[in-house]
Amino acid sequence: APVGTDTESMTANGLLEVGETWSYNISYTVTQADIDNGTPLVNHVSVTTDETPDPVTDEETTPIGQLPAFTVTKTQVSGANPVTTAGQIIGYQIVVANTGNVSLNNIVITDVMPDGSTGVLSAPSESALNNGVLEVGESWTYTTNYTVSQSDIDNGSPLVNHVSVTTDETPDPETDEETTPVQQNPAFTVNKTQTSGPNPVTAAGDVIGYTIAVVNTGNVSLNNIVI
C-alpha cells in the first residue's frame, strides 16, 4: 500500500543522511472479515535504497479480540392472555440479535412448546442481508403458534414456551421463555325434570319418572360427580 508523506528529521532534501530518520504514517481500516477470521493482522514493510544490496524488512502484528455474543427473546404477540378455552391459538415471536463483534453462523433454534412438543418455526426474517449469516448488529425474527388443549386448561399450570439457540461461534446456548397463565372457571348446572307419569298424580301406585341433567358450563373437566 502507498505510504504517507515522509518527515525528514534533519534536512528536507530527499536524502536519508547519516544519522537521519525518516518517518511515515499509514493507516489500515479493519474489516468485518478481519474480525470474523480472527487471525492477527500482520503489517509487513520492505525498504530498498540504491546503495544497499538487499531490502530491509519489518512487520507489526496486531491481535484480534473476537467477542461472539447474541441474545434471544421470546414473546407472546397474539392470542388470549390468560387462556381460558381449548382451541385458543397463542402466537409467539422469537428474536435473535447479534450483540457481539463476530458474524454468527449455523443458527440452530430448539423451541419447546408447553406440551413438550417441538414448535414449527417460520423462516427467519433477516434485518440486514438475507444471506443466512447473523451479522454484527443484525436480528432475525421467527414466528410460531401453539394451540391450547383441554388438558392444558384442566392442568391449570401456566403454559411455558422455552427456546434455546446455538451458533457455531458461541460456546453455550442462549435461552428464553414466555409464560402464559391459564384461567380455570369450573362450573356446572343441575336440572331435574319429570319426564313421565301423571301430573298431577291422582292415585297411589302412580309412577313418576325423572330426568336429572348435569351440564358442565365451565372450562374445566369435572371429576368424581356424586349425585
Side-chain angles (χ1 to χ4, degrees), residues 31-41 64 66 101-103 169:
T31 67
Q32 187 60 54
D34 293 328
I35 303 296
D36 291 347
N37 184 53
T39 304
L41 303 178
I64 289 179
Q66 288 185 316
N101 69 347
V102 180
S103 299
E169 289 75 20

Side-chain angles (χ1 to χ4, degrees), residues 159-204:
L159 303 181
V160 180
N161 186 300
H162 184 83
V163 64
S164 177
V165 182
T166 62
T167 78
D168 285 345
E169 289 75 20
T170 50
D172 301 309
E174 293 290 335
T175 64
D176 194 28
E177 61 186 25
E178 176 75 329
T179 299
T180 304
V182 172
Q183 180 176 312
Q184 291 183 317
N185 298 309
F188 70 95
T189 61
V190 58
N191 184 44
K192 184 166 187 175
T193 56
Q194 180 182 343
T195 55
S196 65
N199 189 329
V201 294
T202 58

Side-chain angles (χ1 to χ4, degrees), residues 22-42:
W22 286 13
S23 299
Y24 301 82
N25 292 315
I26 190 171
S27 63
Y28 175 72
T29 301
V30 178
T31 67
Q32 187 60 54
D34 293 328
I35 303 296
D36 291 347
N37 184 53
T39 304
L41 303 178
V42 180

Side-chain angles (χ1 to χ4, degrees), residues 65-153:
Q66 288 185 316
L67 302 169
F70 69 95
T71 60
V72 56
T73 304
K74 178 150 199 179
T75 54
Q76 180 181 343
V77 293
S78 64
N81 189 325
V83 293
T84 58
T85 307
Q88 288 178 323
I89 297 175
I90 303 172
Y92 296 102
Q93 178 177 272
I94 300 169
V95 178
V96 181
N98 187 336
T99 57
N101 69 347
V102 180
S103 299
L104 302 176
N105 297 275
N106 193 26
I107 313 302
V108 177
I109 296 183
T110 303
D111 188 56
V112 180
M113 289 294 180
D115 62 357
S117 64
T118 300
V120 178
L121 302 178
S122 67
S125 173
E126 304 184 36
S127 66
L129 300 177
N130 189 27
N131 59 359
V133 176
L134 183 58
E135 288 139 341
V136 174
E138 184 179 29
S139 61
W140 289 11
T141 301
Y142 302 79
T143 59
T144 186
N145 295 321
Y146 177 70
T147 302
V148 178
S149 68
Q150 186 59 53
S151 62
D152 291 328
I153 303 297

